[in-house]
Amino acid sequence: MVPKLKTTVPGPRSRRLAKELARYESPNVTFLGPPGPIFWKKALDCNVWDADGNRYLDLTSAFGVASLGHTHHSIRNALQRQSSDLLHGMGDVHPTGLKVRLLAELSKITFERWTGGRIQGQTVLGNSGFEAVEVALKTALLKTGRNRIVGFQGGYHGVGFGALQATWRNDFRGPFSAQLRKLTTFLRYPRSDTDLPRLKKRILTLLKSRKFGAVLVEPVQGRGGIVIPPTAFLPLLRQACDRTGTLLVVDEIFTGFWRTGKMFAVEHSGVVPDLICLGKALTGALPLSACVGKKSVMRAWPKTRGESIHTTTFLGNPLACAAGLASVEAWKAPSWKKSLARSHEILWNLLEGADGNIRRFNGIGMMFGIKLAPGKAVRACETLLQRGIIALAEGEKGEVLAITPPLSISKEDLRFAVEQIREALDEID
């Protein structure tokens, strides 16, 4: 349980660092307004310490990266071993054996596992999640010859120019609209089965035009407000794509690796996508993303003649690959399914039993959202920080308080978190 904070948050060291940061960083990166950021110094499991020595309970997994827990021992050990041998390689010219091993593992835990070995996966690695999305969109164009995209309202796929084509929120796209082509048709993301008939009619009409190469979708929306669609949603998309030769691309950068109670969120509906985008908890520590596709789809990329048409300087970085291999090995443990079902039930019951302002919430696995009034979740996060809780607001209007902690969080910490959330919501009312 998190102890009482030593200082008012943010403390004097964090305030000094914020002033210095304002001098040297572009003004649109770190929010420095009240109450101002805390500056992290170290982290372990579900706990974070700031520059002033305060300890916090992290309900964000650091944007979903530290799903195994901060500074997880297997990842730390892998990085220590690898750092003594090789820090950087030449990933698309002279790669390391680590890259080969990681690509094989990604195939095994996705398409080979889903199809009993009938379908093999092939991968393009990147650094950030949006890069994996952009690889997927490029693949769709190469495979189908069609440049248009079906996306969904509330969808978030990153802010690189390619990924920005399919990211919903205008506050991200608007400032750069003069340099963006209008390639994406956004459909309503379904909340219940009653939304599906209209969606089915609409998407079939679009795809039958043979102009759309990809349907890009999050199996559960994260930044859109922790929106959990009906189980029949992904099968509907799969059928529509199959009928029209369109590629189904699932963005599991946030939901992948047990966040929703299964290794990948698509497994709740039994759908096998054409391409899956991974990142965040893939390494639990370092920048690494992956677009994994069916081999028959990825062969749309031409065989390189010495110059790859999509690459990065740090492709297959040995440190990142070592962390990825350690992380994937940890995620393969059979105990996750049972432990996450238990944690889900505990958190659900705690939220259901809380009085006061916790009235509407939903959750899948360890991905919960408490629905509040517009802007209230942002204020709740500010209040929670003063109480030793790191949390994030989601939704276009800051109306959802997200709970996405490291998956190893204890029952005691969950109980403490819910009590602090209840008190914080009462306080801001």
Side-chain angles (χ1 to χ4, degrees):
M1 187 175 295
V2 178
K4 186 177 180 179
L5 298 177
K6 296 179 181 179
T7 65
T8 300
V9 175
R13 290 187 179 89
S14 286
R15 292 197 296 270
R16 285 198 297 271
L17 286 167
K19 288 181 180 179
E20 188 172 3
L21 184 66
R23 294 175 59 192
Y24 297 109
E25 186 176 60
S26 167
N28 192 250
V29 180
T30 304
F31 178 65
L32 299 175
I38 59 170
F39 282 76
W40 291 24
K41 186 175 182 180
K42 66 176 182 178
L44 183 66
D45 299 329
C46 296
N47 297 300
V48 172
W49 286 262
D50 71 7
D52 293 282
N54 295 306
R55 180 158 67 98
Y56 304 83
L57 179 64
D58 178 18
L59 295 187
T60 73
S61 304
F63 301 126
V65 172
S67 290
L68 280 171
H70 290 283
T71 323
H72 190 269
H73 62 90
S74 64
I75 299 172
R76 183 180 63 243
N77 293 341
L79 290 175
Q80 288 174 341
R81 290 193 299 269
Q82 183 57 39
S83 64
S84 65
D85 292 334
L86 183 67
L87 297 176
H88 177 62
M90 298 178 69
D92 68 336
V93 177
H94 301 298
T96 67
L98 288 167
K99 187 181 86 166
V100 180
R101 288 170 52 199
L102 180 60
L103 298 185
E105 286 294 330
L106 290 174
S107 175
K108 290 174 184 176
I109 65 174
T110 56
F111 291 98
E112 292 183 44
R113 188 167 64 90
W114 293 333
T115 65
R118 289 184 295 104
I119 297 177
Q120 181 181 317
Q122 290 189 332
T123 297
V124 176
L125 294 176
N127 303 300
S128 182
F130 82 82
E131 294 178 48
V133 172
E134 293 181 350
V135 170
L137 296 179
K138 286 183 174 181
T139 304
L141 177 61
L142 291 173
K143 178 65 176 177
T144 68
R146 311 170 195 166
N147 67 342
R148 295 191 64 83
I149 306 157
V150 171
F152 291 89
Q153 296 174 12
Y156 180 84
H157 305 286
V159 293
F161 268 104
L164 204 55
Q165 295 281 0
T167 289
W168 164 249
R169 284 169 52 174
N170 191 58
D171 50 345
F172 294 125
R173 292 193 353 261
F176 310 104
S177 59
Q179 291 181 330
L180 292 172
R181 296 183 66 188
K182 296 181 179 180
L183 299 177
T184 303
T185 299
F186 291 97
L187 303 181
R188 187 175 185 273
Y189 195 84
R191 266 68 172 173
S192 67
D193 287 326
T194 58
D195 296 326
L196 296 182
R198 184 177 179 181
L199 172 63
K200 181 178 180 179
K201 182 178 180 180
R202 177 69 173 137
I203 199 167
L204 280 174
T205 299
L206 289 172
L207 298 189
K208 283 179 180 178
S209 71
R210 307 288 173 171
K211 296 178 180 178
F212 292 83
V215 174
L216 175 60
V217 64
E218 297 162 277
V220 177
Q221 285 191 341
R223 297 207 67 179
I226 316 298
V227 184
I228 305 167
T231 306
F233 173 48
L234 290 182
L236 183 157
L237 298 183
R238 179 72 275 174
Q239 292 167 12
C241 287
D242 287 342
R243 288 178 62 178
T244 58
T246 311
L247 298 189
L248 179 59
V249 181
V250 293
D251 180 344
E252 293 236 26
I253 293 162
F254 195 176
T255 56
F257 301 103
W258 293 102
R259 174 55 59 186
T260 67
K262 290 185 180 289
M263 176 76 91
F264 300 105
V266 290
E267 295 169 16
H268 289 283
S269 57
V271 163
V272 176
D274 296 298
L275 298 151
I276 183 170
C277 301
L278 303 174
K280 294 187 183 292
L282 172 58
T283 69
L286 295 181
L288 184 71
S289 65
C291 175
V292 190
K294 295 176 179 176
K295 189 173 183 178
S296 59
V297 172
M298 298 303 280
R299 280 180 169 172
W301 288 84
K303 187 175 181 180
T304 179
R305 302 297 180 184
E307 286 288 353
S308 173
I309 60 174
H310 183 98
T311 187
T312 69
T313 298
F314 293 95
L315 189 148
N317 173 266
L319 280 175
C321 287
L325 284 166
S327 179
V328 167
E329 189 61 31
W331 289 128
K332 285 157 64 175
S335 58
W336 282 112
K337 182 176 181 180
K338 184 176 180 180
S339 67
L340 284 172
R342 183 170 61 250
S343 296
H344 172 87
E345 182 181 9
I346 289 170
L347 182 52
W348 187 282
N349 290 337
L350 286 169
L351 291 171
E352 198 169 46
D355 55 6
N357 287 289
I358 300 177
R359 296 188 181 94
R360 291 192 296 162
F361 69 90
N362 63 353
I364 181 171
M366 287 305 288
M367 190 175 183
F368 277 72
I370 300 173
K371 186 69 179 291
L372 304 169
K376 190 174 180 180
V378 177
R379 289 159 52 209
C381 291
E382 295 170 356
T383 303
L384 285 168
L385 196 64
Q386 300 290 334
R387 293 171 167 269
I389 301 284
I390 299 173
L392 288 172
E394 303 293 7
E396 194 167 357
K397 299 178 180 178
E399 75 278 16
V400 175
L401 179 63
I403 305 176
T404 58
L407 303 185
S408 57
I409 190 170
S410 68
K411 179 179 180 180
E412 291 72 25
D413 280 342
L414 286 174
R415 183 181 294 113
F416 174 74
V418 172
E419 181 62 23
Q420 294 302 308
I421 290 170
R422 185 191 64 77
E423 293 182 8
L425 293 179
D426 287 345
E427 180 180 330
I428 64 176
D429 266 0

